[in-house]
Amino acid sequence: MGRTSKDKRDVYYRLAKENGWRARSAFKLLQLDEEFQLFQGVTRAVDLCAAPGSWSQVLSQKIGGQGSGHVVAVDLQAMAPLPGVLQIQGDITQLSTAKEIIKHFEGCPADLVVCDGAPDVTGLHDVDEYMQAQLLLAALNIATHVLKPGGCFVAKIFRGRDVTLIYSQLRVFFSSVLCAKPRSSRNSSIEAFAVCQGYDPPQGFLPDLTKPLLDHSYDPDFNQLDGPTRIIVPFVTCGDLSSYDSDRSYPLDLEDGSEYKYTPPTQPPISPPYQEACTLKKKGWLAKEIRPQDCPISTVDTLPR
Ligand code: SAM
């Protein structure tokens, strides 16, 4: 596969490189902002599950006017530095990471918390949805500690079977909850974004990291998800409909007639998990396991045990 074929297949991947974004995901946040004006009046934000950092790039450029805002970015993976972005490397489901994030907002809460977290997909849909929901709940837990009243929370969700339960949980804390699908997010993907505006926790709610977040006693209707009490949130597509369709392939010739020129990625990943495999492959040490049925009898007999 040539290095230009991905540019042809994925126009947002190509545009991201050409516009200096570290990942195509930048367009998702930009299109969500077009629809919901997420950045209006925002000076302090948290970017959870932030690597390689395109959402942090967007935030640092868009908030607080001329990038004078304050952004805290968190991820399991190391991320190349970004001006104006404070980085924390850690697991957002861990208490220690949550405490470190919360420390930065003591006495000066955040206006916006975003989470584009995605677990490593196993291919088992129920497991993947469950893992995704756990990330979202960890993010919501952190949000309840750092958000100011009226603040906003945006998080990736998988629109699976049990997504209405997540909406109900979010509705306990926000006056408005919507499900949004930016145009740069492929139709073929079950990914969407919960856009929760107007942080308004139940009266008497005290965020407490030592207790499970969603104490159902705050909402007596919480578990009644059938019939009229089932919460159905509005579904909104966002991003100009005349903009590029993420499920289509586009020719490499640019629309203005200028010649296509390959652009390398803006920021190659630092210490990616596959690095060890690449090093082993280069040295020829990445051997395939030899199954006895693939070997001639004489070789099997001589293989070390
Ligand atoms: N929004 C990012 C951007 O624009 O560059 C892309 C985020 S990427 C789709 C998902 C990220 O979630 C990965 O970098 C992964 O390391 C991170 N992640 C997954 N589980 C996590 C966890 N438990 N704690 C922190 N980060 C996590």
Side-chain angles (χ1 to χ4, degrees):
M1 191 167 62
R3 60 182 189 168
T4 59
S5 71
K6 193 160 181 201
D7 284 359
K8 213 192 265 181
R9 276 187 294 116
D10 186 344
V11 69
Y12 285 102
Y13 168 78
R14 171 185 169 180
L15 289 174
K17 293 186 297 163
E18 290 173 0
N19 288 284
W21 301 120
R22 289 183 178 184
R24 67 191 296 290
S25 331
F27 293 104
K28 299 178 192 170
L29 187 59
L30 289 166
Q31 290 170 350
L32 287 167
D33 173 58
E34 257 171 52
E35 185 70 34
F36 300 102
Q37 289 79 50
L38 299 175
F39 307 142
Q40 224 168 53
V42 171
T43 56
R44 296 169 69 80
V46 187
D47 182 7
L48 299 172
C49 305
S54 78
W55 279 28
S56 289
Q57 284 182 291
V58 171
L59 288 170
S60 69
Q61 290 183 22
K62 298 276 178 183
I63 71 171
Q66 307 306 314
S68 61
H70 182 84
V71 180
V72 173
V74 190
D75 202 285
L76 277 175
Q77 294 176 42
M79 197 169 112
L82 276 170
V85 176
L86 188 138
Q87 287 182 33
I88 296 172
Q89 189 173 357
D91 180 343
I92 65 161
T93 65
Q94 294 294 313
L95 192 65
S96 54
T97 313
K99 280 184 177 165
E100 204 179 334
I101 301 166
I102 293 162
K103 203 173 67 193
H104 287 283
F105 293 91
E106 264 162 14
C108 206
D111 309 286
L112 175 65
V113 176
V114 294
C115 177
D116 190 24
D120 288 337
V121 173
T122 64
L124 301 169
H125 297 312
D126 287 349
V127 175
D128 293 339
E129 276 166 44
Y130 174 78
M131 298 293 284
Q132 178 66 29
Q134 293 311 301
L135 268 188
L136 185 141
L137 292 180
L140 175 60
N141 196 358
I142 292 166
T144 62
H145 285 80
V146 301
L147 267 185
K148 70 171 195 192
C152 178
F153 174 64
V154 175
K156 185 182 343 245
I157 48 164
F158 284 174
R159 282 172 304 147
R161 213 178 30 192
D162 298 324
V163 73
T164 49
L165 177 62
I166 294 175
Y167 295 143
S168 313
Q169 291 170 327
L170 293 168
R171 276 288 295 276
V172 173
F173 295 97
F174 295 88
S175 56
S176 159
V177 176
L178 289 128
C179 172
K181 180 85 175 168
R183 199 149 158 80
S184 49
S185 169
R186 295 186 187 90
N187 281 326
S188 48
S189 155
I190 57 166
E191 160 194 279
F193 293 87
V195 178
C196 312
Q197 289 173 298
Y199 178 57
D200 182 21
Q203 227 180 2
F205 173 75
L206 280 178
D208 182 351
L209 280 174
T210 62
K211 280 193 203 146
L213 166 74
L214 298 162
D215 179 347
H216 298 184
S217 64
Y218 288 110
D219 184 350
D221 293 333
F222 190 75
N223 280 326
Q224 296 171 30
L225 293 169
D226 295 324
T229 52
R230 182 166 171 244
I231 290 179
I232 299 176
V233 306
F235 180 82
V236 182
T237 54
C238 47
D240 186 347
L241 286 183
S242 61
S243 62
Y244 292 106
D245 177 348
S246 49
D247 286 288
R248 261 193 63 190
S249 290
Y250 287 87
L252 290 173
D253 308 324
L254 299 176
E255 279 157 359
D256 60 6
S258 54
E259 208 183 316
Y260 165 77
K261 207 170 144 263
Y262 173 78
T263 313
T266 303
Q267 172 63 58
I270 53 170
S271 66
Y274 52 81
Q275 203 164 31
E276 193 185 336
C278 292
T279 315
L280 291 175
K281 193 170 177 202
K282 241 184 226 165
K283 295 184 176 168
W285 294 346
L286 193 66
K288 255 191 184 170
E289 191 190 341
I290 304 169
R291 299 174 308 166
Q293 63 265 39
D294 296 336
C295 294
I297 303 284
S298 56
T299 323
V300 174
D301 289 343
T302 57
L303 282 177
R305 303 243 166 227

